[in-house]
Every structure is written in structure tokens, then in C-alpha cells.
């Protein structure tokens, strides 16, 4: 960790790691957990930021940008990952296109949304089955190393990679109305 980063929050550290790895394109599908990071990249002229309708489109945009010489990243939440196995298996992996993905983990540790929980249980097994490196970031102190290393690894090996933002890091759980009423 840099000496000047002790006061930074996790989204600020991510932005610094993206810049250190020359990642200039950010494609995202809106997510409350990722909102602070999304605001930072929108406000920074270093980045080109696009918001397609679906995660598969975001992956396609970042893959195409890579083929044109621009590095990018895809931001999404866990449930959006459920739409990606086909594009990961038929485009990114066989053609060795390095698309880093940052996924806010939903459906774990106190998130009571059944749809999120079901996808959360399948996300890591799908990544493993496709041979896509992935790592969950649980602590702020690990953000710079993991983000920088995973992005660097993706571009060095020409493979997609996934960084999973644990709720232990983001502390952004969105309880359902039923859970709130049960309190």
C-alpha cells in the first residue's frame, strides 16, 4: 500500500489501481454497492465510462476496446454475472481476451434476497469451471494489491479475471423489506 493511501476508501484505491494499470475504459451496469466507484470514474476525465443495458454488452464493449488497443474493466453485481457464462466461454476464454471484471458480491453475509443468494452460490463454481482466475477482496488493506495484481495478471496472461468485492469490504447490504420488518 502506498504511504499516501491510508485515508483512502476502497473506491479511491480502485481508481488509483486502474490508472496504474492503464485501464481507461469502464463499462458498468448500475449497482448501489458500486455507486461510489462509478461516481469517481464518471468524475475523472482520465476514464471513458459507458453504461450499457446488460452485462454481456459491457463485456463485448471492453473486449472490442482491447482489440483496438484500449484497456477496460467491467463493473457489475453478482446477479448480473449470471448472464455471462456464454460470453465468457465462447468469446473471452477461447480467444484469450483479457477482460477484468469487478463484481460486487450480493446474496452473502446477511443479504436475504433469494435471487442474489442463488447466483452467489454459483458464481465461483462457474468461474472455476471456466478456468477464470478470481479472488474475493474482504479487507480495505488488500484492495490495492489484489486489484493491481489481478488486472496485471489478466493482461499478462491474456485471460479474463474476476475481482469479487465482499460485503466485508463494501459494507453495503441491501436488506429486503421483510428482513427489515423482522428486526
Amino acid at each position: 500500500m502506498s504511504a499516501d493511501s491510508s485515508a483512502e476508501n476502497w473506491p479511491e484505491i480502485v481508481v488509483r489501481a486502474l490508472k496504474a494499470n492503464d485501464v481507461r475504459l469502464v463499462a458498468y451496469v448500475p449497482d448501489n454497492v458500486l455507486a461510489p466507484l462509478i461516481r469517481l470514474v464518471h468524475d475523472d476525465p482520465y476514464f471513458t465510462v459507458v453504461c450499457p443495458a446488460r452485462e454481456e454488452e459491457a463485456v463485448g464493449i471492453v473486449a472490442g476496446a482491447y482489440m483496438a488497443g484500449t484497456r477496460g474493466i467491467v463493473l457489475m453485481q453478482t446477479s448480473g454475472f449470471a448472464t455471462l457464462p456464454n460470453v465468457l466461454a465462447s468469446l473471452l476464454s477461447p480467444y484469450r481476451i483479457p477482460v477484468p471484471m469487478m463484481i460486487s458480491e450480493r446474496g452473502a453475509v446477511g443479504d436475504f434476497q433469494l435471487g442474489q443468494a442463488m447466483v452467489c452460490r454459483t458464481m465461483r463454481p462457474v468461474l472455476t469451471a471456466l478456468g477464470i482466475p478470481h479472488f474475493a477482496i474482504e479487507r480495505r488493506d488488500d484492495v490495492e494489491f489484489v486489484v493491481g495484481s489481478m488486472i496485471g495478471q489478466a493482461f499478462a496472461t491474456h485471460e479474463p479475471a474476476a475481482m469479487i468485492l465482499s460485503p466485508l469490504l463494501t459494507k453495503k447490504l441491501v436488506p429486503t423489506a421483510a428482513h427489515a420488518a423482522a428486526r
Side-chain angles (χ1 to χ4, degrees), residues 32-172:
N32 286 335
V33 174
L34 293 167
L37 174 58
I38 292 167
R39 276 192 294 280
L40 287 175
V41 296
H42 265 290
D43 292 344
D44 191 326
Y46 178 88
F47 298 102
T48 299
V49 183
V50 295
C51 180
R54 297 182 51 86
E55 288 77 8
E56 305 95 311
E57 294 173 18
V59 168
I61 290 165
V62 172
Y66 172 75
M67 289 184 265
T70 298
R71 290 181 171 195
I73 189 169
V74 176
L75 309 179
M76 71 189 90
Q77 67 174 280
T78 305
S79 63
F81 176 82
T83 68
L84 293 184
N86 182 54
V87 72
L88 296 174
S90 65
L91 177 64
L92 298 188
S93 290
Y95 293 100
R96 303 192 57 115
I97 302 171
V99 172
M101 297 171 282
M102 184 166 285
I103 306 164
S104 69
E105 185 174 41
R106 305 283 297 276
V109 204
D111 189 337
F112 300 98
Q113 297 180 57
L114 181 57
Q116 295 283 7
M118 292 174 69
V119 174
C120 186
R121 287 191 299 263
T122 63
M123 180 175 56
R124 285 178 184 81
V126 167
L127 289 164
T128 298
L130 294 172
I132 296 174
H134 56 282
F135 193 88
I137 307 171
E138 297 179 347
R139 299 174 338 111
R140 181 196 156 283
D141 290 346
D142 297 333
V143 173
E144 182 174 12
F145 174 76
V146 173
V147 173
S149 297
M150 292 294 290
I151 291 171
Q153 178 180 342
F155 289 108
T157 61
H158 300 278
E159 296 181 314
M163 295 155 278
I164 302 164
L165 301 178
S166 167
L168 296 173
L169 170 70
T170 62
K171 308 224 185 320
K172 289 271 191 173

